[in-house]
Amino acid sequence: MTATLIWILVALVAVGLYLSWTAGRLDRLHARIDAARAALDAQLLRRASVAQELATSGVLDPAASIVLYEAAHAARQAEEEQREVAESELSQALRAVFADAHQVDAVREAPGGEEATLELAEAVRRVPMARRFHNDAVRAARALRRHRKVRWFRLAGHAPFPMAFEMDDEPPAALIERAG
């Protein structure tokens, strides 16, 4: 009888330790999502700021400046629910403005254009990486949260279900080629 109670106690302790480890892992994944989201937000803000600065610098033609400025301003001011759409529209505006390699060359030849072009190219390169890191963390947390043990024992607590950030983040090819 005593040996049976000891084995039951050992099994309960082992299950408790396993559940505690799983809850800790889930907590670390949620912290990773928060850090990745902060990095993504920083990269999106940097891209919008550089695009807005370039639009107001006078090195683009007036029509391109207006399109780029409005898209960058909308991306910076977007509410959380509209953020993905606004950032996708900024990506589309960047591709429209820098669709032609001659436009990139014209911007680079303007005073201060070389630095602005390099800074914008760097900003548009970093956004897809930051989004990929965020979405990978979300994918890992979702996979763990789907396990029965996590649902049955409510190991996720009251943490909201993580959502991926889906947007069009394809950079303008001419900008990347010419600035790189």
Side-chain angles (χ1 to χ4, degrees), residues 40-83:
L40 175 61
D41 287 341
Q43 292 306 322
L44 291 172
L45 180 64
R46 180 173 181 242
R47 179 181 79 152
S49 297
V50 171
Q52 203 169 23
E53 184 179 315
L54 184 63
T56 59
S57 68
V59 297
L60 296 172
D61 64 85
S65 293
I66 291 171
V67 167
L68 193 57
Y69 180 83
E70 287 179 355
H73 181 71
R76 289 183 67 177
Q77 300 298 320
E79 297 292 327
E80 193 60 34
E81 302 83 34
Q82 299 298 320
R83 185 98 189 265

Side-chain angles (χ1 to χ4, degrees), residues 10-33:
V10 167
L12 287 175
V13 167
V15 168
L17 286 173
Y18 178 70
L19 291 175
S20 175
W21 175 80
T22 302
R25 182 170 165 229
L26 189 57
D27 185 53
R28 287 188 300 276
L29 282 172
H30 280 281
R32 190 172 129 205
I33 289 170

